[in-house]
Amino acid sequence: SPELSRGAGSLPSTSSPARAAEQRPPRLVLGIETSCDDTGAAVVDESGAVRGEALHCQREVHLKTGGIIPPVAQQLHRENIEQVVKEALDVSGVSVSELAAIATTVKPGLALCLQVGLEYSLKLVNKYKKPFIPIHHMEAHALTIRLINQVEFPFLVLLLSGGHCILAVAQGVSDFLLLGQSIDIAPGDMLDKVARRLSLSKHPECQGMAGGKAIEHLARTGDRQRHTFRVPMQHYRNCDFSFSGLQNLVNKVIVEQEKEEGILKQKLLSCAKDIAAAAQHAVAAHIVKRTHRAMLFCIKHSIISPQNATLVVSGGVASNQYIRKGLQIVADANGFSFLCPPPRLCTDNGVMIAWNGIERLRAELGILNCTDGLRYEATAPLGIDISKRVEEASIKVPRLKMKI
């Protein structure tokens, strides 16, 4: 196994705990994810091997309704969770009795969706008498990178998705410092809403694409300089984000263009690509500037060493190549390594939950043998909030040319 080969050459004595750990087969964790609109399950071992995984995506259903309707999402999770878990186990060739633990997202997320995953998991836990590891969804996103890269703590992590926008320092498996977060909506939510307002589902180039993906696709051939949107929170020297005001500015321009072109709402604008490009650029510029400040703060206050500085970006919006390139530029300018999980691990999935379970199992953190009174939580902070300290530091961010 990878565990054995890694230890070859300098083996500890046979009586040591490390030697005993090397001699036993790697422990296995089943991860289950139902926090939003994807039903995911995976079996991962502690060497980082994904033994089996399965995912049921609800995107097609929600595209037709223009957004996620929680009761609909809940029903689809209920209909699919058993098959998804069975498929992951079948592919892995592992039975539930062979698992070291079951890990499941319990926070944050859509309450009705979290409920399905937790209830199903607890039935398995009680039936097979397995330890249970409750997972914080954002912690799982933050640690996914360690499944595929040897990233040492501490590192700066930026989590971008349809429901979250968070800047934090990962100091350990369950040890985070929260530097800033969105004070209103998340970037993925904003891009989806702009796409709906532009009726991009009707655009011939965007058939079947999610909103944010449609914006990114059209923006590639749009002129972002035809419209200029003010980057949010320019005068606030903190690491918080805000996207609702930007969305309002974009909507205002859409209304103006509709009047200019003499078309009704729900019809396609000829300048849709230009608006998409300008909106995406403003989102990227906002995210990059806040991340830049976080880097400067962490180095100045010795939270992260300049010699070993890493920026990890994860979550669904991390798949946006334009935003990613902007973050690569700011990372390079500040001497940070830039790492991103592959796109399939950036969106919600069972692998990241199982891996978070492995991380906690190794660190002996949050492993429950009794689940009495355990509840899911729709909202849950990540780590210790030091955002006020960031604001008090009042760090001025130098201008950075984003030639993307």
Side-chain angles (χ1 to χ4, degrees), residues 303-314:
I303 295 170
I304 289 175
S305 162
Q307 290 76 37
N308 194 28
T310 300
L311 169 66
V312 171
V313 184
S314 191

Side-chain angles (χ1 to χ4, degrees), residues 172-217:
V173 171
S174 182
D175 182 7
F176 289 81
L177 297 176
L178 179 65
L179 304 178
Q181 60 188 325
S182 178
I183 60 174
D184 39 56
I185 62 174
D189 186 23
M190 182 227 150
L191 291 170
D192 284 346
K193 284 174 176 171
V194 169
R196 279 202 296 275
R197 184 63 186 81
L198 284 168
S199 301
L200 296 190
S201 60
K202 298 175 183 176
H203 198 287
E205 292 182 33
C206 304
Q207 298 295 319
M209 284 186 188
K213 199 71 188 168
I215 292 281
E216 182 182 6
H217 174 78

Side-chain angles (χ1 to χ4, degrees), residues 72-93:
V72 173
Q74 181 189 48
Q75 184 57 34
L76 289 168
H77 282 305
R78 281 189 173 139
E79 290 170 7
N80 292 289
I81 190 167
E82 189 163 358
Q83 182 55 38
V84 167
V85 171
K86 182 180 183 300
E87 188 181 328
L89 289 167
D90 287 349
V91 172
S92 72

